[in-house]
Amino acid sequence: TQSTWALPAEEVARQLTLLDFEMLRKIRGEELCGQSWCKAHLRHLAPNLRAATAHFEGVSFWIATAIMLPEAKAARAEIISWFVDIAGYFRALNNFSGLQSVLAALAISAIARLTQTWELVPEATMLRKAALDQLMGQEMNCKRYRDAIRSAPLPAIPFLAVYTGQLVKLDEGGNDERTETGCIKFFKFNKTLETIQEIQQYQQVPYAIVPVPAVQAALRTLAFKTAEELHDLSLVREPRRAAG
């Protein structure tokens, strides 16, 4: 929304963090069992987890939409820089979900292909973005991220996809009947419980951030374009160069 652009990046990060924590806190432990969030016949069992996922995706597409709307390359570059600033504040708040929502938006193909726009983003901003990309990278099972959040003081907000992905792997390996003692199933049950408890620890400590009602209302009703619309607009903003 237009009023959001007038706010300092730090305040936008703070207000979005309140919303992210609200989404996180509503998720019940049972919603994280049996892949209910990604199975059509069980989706009704995980309403809060699905709402958190939809919120994450909505924020990412809102960011991409905001970048794409200006016709001028310089204006798009400024908005990219603004969102990298917001990502930095998310990191300072230990909001790893918010941080990843920004990085995911910047990686959407419709945004990533805007080479003329990216050329105008200051080098210092690109270096900060690269450091955040490295932090949230998938190398070694997201080791840098896992180390960062485990050493972070509470409050903190995890990037849920790391844990739901782990839970899917554990669940799909649950049919292993190679032992009569049940050791394999017991191990997987324990790992599943550990993963759920790891998420739940971050639900316990809220942020001491004062909500700004007008900003909260705006952030709850974010408008954004679809991936297809972003792709089409991207080609308008920076048409493909003719081969040769």
Side-chain angles (χ1 to χ4, degrees), residues 8-217:
E10 182 176 12
E11 190 58 41
V12 174
R14 286 163 57 85
Q15 297 302 312
L16 272 171
T17 293
L18 284 180
L19 290 183
D20 291 344
F21 184 78
E22 177 184 315
M23 292 288 179
L24 172 69
R25 199 169 201 179
K26 289 179 179 178
I27 298 170
R28 305 185 309 273
E30 56 266 30
E31 296 186 47
L32 296 159
C33 298
Q35 302 184 53
S36 57
W37 64 92
C38 58
K39 292 183 177 180
H41 67 292
L42 296 176
R43 286 166 63 85
H44 65 284
L45 299 176
N48 299 300
L49 179 53
R50 291 193 296 112
T53 300
H55 169 71
F56 175 92
E57 293 173 352
V59 170
S60 286
F61 276 96
W62 167 66
I63 292 168
T65 300
I67 294 167
M68 197 69 73
L69 287 179
E71 294 184 13
K73 292 176 290 188
R76 294 196 296 272
E78 284 184 15
I79 294 176
I80 287 174
S81 296
W82 191 68
F83 279 116
V84 172
D85 288 344
I86 288 175
Y89 287 118
F90 279 142
R91 175 63 187 95
L93 290 163
N94 294 319
N95 179 356
F96 294 92
S97 179
L99 167 55
Q100 184 60 28
S101 70
V102 177
L103 299 179
L106 299 179
I108 290 173
S109 59
I111 301 299
R113 66 170 297 277
L114 298 174
T115 55
Q116 297 172 42
T117 299
W118 284 101
E119 288 172 356
L120 298 178
V121 177
E123 182 179 359
T125 299
M126 294 300 294
L127 289 173
R128 287 188 288 118
K129 176 185 176 296
L132 295 172
D133 279 325
Q134 185 178 56
L135 171 66
M136 298 303 291
Q138 296 182 12
E139 297 82 6
M140 297 179 290
N141 194 26
C142 306
K143 184 180 186 303
R144 293 188 186 91
Y145 157 71
R146 290 179 186 275
D147 289 347
I149 193 167
R150 285 170 179 165
S151 63
L154 298 178
I157 301 176
F159 175 39
L160 287 173
V162 171
Y163 307 93
T164 55
Q166 183 171 313
L167 289 168
V168 167
K169 289 180 181 178
L170 288 167
D171 187 64
E172 290 179 346
N175 295 323
D176 195 329
E177 303 286 355
R178 290 177 297 169
T179 176
E180 295 179 1
T181 65
C183 288
I184 291 177
K185 285 191 173 183
F186 184 71
F187 170 79
K188 289 173 180 175
F189 173 81
N190 275 352
K191 292 300 291 183
T192 297
L193 183 60
E194 286 176 12
T195 302
I196 293 174
Q197 289 176 334
E198 186 169 356
I199 295 171
Q200 290 177 325
Q201 70 176 309
Y202 300 114
Q203 296 177 310
Q204 306 308 312
V205 181
Y207 283 84
I209 296 173
V210 177
V212 179
V215 179
Q216 290 281 304

Side-chain angles (χ1 to χ4, degrees), residues 223-237:
F224 52 85
K225 296 184 180 296
T226 65
E228 293 77 11
E229 290 170 333
L230 287 170
H231 172 75
D232 292 343
L233 188 52
S234 179
L235 293 175
V236 172
R237 294 291 182 252

